[in-house]
Amino acid sequence: MHTSLHTPEDFMRRAIRLSHDNMKRGVGGPFGAVIVKDGEIIGEGWNHVTSDNDPTAHAEVSAIRDACRRLGTFKLEGCDIYTSCEPCPMCLAAIYWAHIDRIFYANTQKDAAAIDFDDAFLYHEVALRRDERRIKSTRLLPEEALKVFKEWQDKKDKTPY
């Protein structure tokens, strides 16, 4: 993809360039990310929340989707992510689910909060008990849902992840 890039600084500059270029195009917020494996960029992403009307279209999630599609896998072991800003809770969880080895970031949570991208409330919310959270959740039909879990548990041809 971009084989002329070789150093961590080069990869971070690419993530920052994606954040800048796509912010200038009006695609979304000022965030970009690249995923690197064996010294080569294998996935790129930028924020396109507003242009796609998709609150999950953050740079890191977009880069993960791109890398997984290109590699034909849902696990990105052996990969690093370079992101123009410290990942929000959703992106951090996606990075963990993807089994990415390392995170490199430029701007911090505090830097993002200073331009009105404040994720502090999310960190606070997830630490609360379910009954204390702002969005209420109610459990329904656990017996029916547990039957499906049991069927998954016993399924011989499943692909674990």
Side-chain angles (χ1 to χ4, degrees):
M1 204 170 173
H2 294 283
T3 55
S4 63
L5 305 179
H6 299 292
T7 69
E9 292 79 9
D10 290 334
F11 298 131
M12 184 60 75
R13 284 187 186 99
R14 179 64 185 160
I16 293 167
R17 170 62 66 189
L18 289 169
S19 75
H20 179 262
D21 290 354
N22 288 290
M23 179 264 307
K24 291 285 280 185
R25 286 189 322 124
V27 176
F31 305 97
V34 297
I35 296 178
V36 175
K37 183 174 183 136
D38 299 326
E40 182 180 345
I41 294 176
I42 50 109
E44 294 186 330
W46 50 88
N47 182 289
H48 46 98
V49 168
T50 56
S51 59
D52 286 2
N53 294 315
D54 179 354
T56 68
H58 289 202
E60 297 91 339
V61 171
S62 298
I64 289 168
R65 290 174 180 162
D66 186 39
C68 288
R69 187 184 74 254
R70 288 174 187 273
L71 295 180
T73 184
F74 53 84
K75 286 190 177 180
L76 297 175
E77 295 161 323
C79 296
D80 297 329
I81 189 166
Y82 292 79
T83 179
S84 65
C85 188
E86 189 174 4
C88 74
M90 177 186 70
C91 292
L92 185 60
I95 289 165
Y96 273 89
W97 280 118
H99 300 275
I100 291 173
D101 290 359
R102 295 183 297 179
I103 301 167
F104 296 89
Y105 63 94
N107 294 320
T108 66
Q109 292 177 39
K110 186 176 178 181
D111 297 328
I115 62 165
D116 297 325
F117 289 97
D118 192 355
D119 299 326
F121 81 98
L122 287 172
Y123 286 104
H124 174 74
E125 282 285 310
V126 297
L128 295 173
R129 292 188 343 229
R130 276 190 301 273
D131 64 341
E132 295 175 330
R133 293 180 185 153
R134 187 181 72 177
I135 297 175
K136 299 302 174 201
S137 57
T138 303
R139 189 172 186 199
L140 291 175
L141 303 175
E143 298 84 11
E144 292 179 31
L146 284 171
K147 287 178 186 176
V148 178
F149 272 19
K150 174 69 172 133
E151 192 173 327
W152 169 260
Q153 184 178 28
D154 297 339
K155 187 172 171 44
K156 301 295 184 218
D157 62 342
K158 66 184 170 197
T159 302
Y161 57 97

